[in-house]
Amino acid sequence: IVRDNAVGALSRLVLGFGAELPLDSILPAIVASLPLKEDKDENIPAIRCLMKATHDERSRGHMAALVAPTLSVLARLLRAQLLGDEAAHEAHAFLAWLASQGAQQLEALVKSLPPDEQEALSAGLNAPSVLV
């Protein structure tokens, strides 16, 4: 549980301070830790942190190589219903935003994932969303 709380705390730091932090080492560590299993509520700030880092132009470069594993984690969280309604809506909006940035690239990334993760993301892309 301590590890999960540490990932959640680190994610909150990224949410608060973003590009001011050494994201090149922090973001891969967060992605590699997910999904969290002991304190499942800490998945929410962690995935929000990764979505925000992908959105933010100042940190987007750090996320380029992490988009596929982030999508995999997001799919597992959505499939297991570990995000709650608000964060799930944010995730759906994030997927829609990714599609607007490059639908073909997103489709290729999704197709590279296992079938159950593809299904979860496809459902997320077709779900109603709100702006992040």
Side-chain angles (χ1 to χ4, degrees), residues 55 85-97 127-132:
H55 269 279
D85 290 342
E86 184 178 346
H89 285 296
E90 292 171 17
H92 297 153
F94 174 72
L95 290 169
W97 176 80
S129 61
V130 295
L131 295 178
V132 175

Side-chain angles (χ1 to χ4, degrees), residues 104-127:
Q104 290 178 331
Q105 294 92 331
L106 179 59
E107 184 178 337
L109 287 171
V110 171
K111 284 184 177 182
S112 72
L113 300 173
D116 59 328
E117 293 178 13
Q118 290 180 34
E119 183 181 320
L121 291 178
S122 294
L125 281 166
N126 296 319

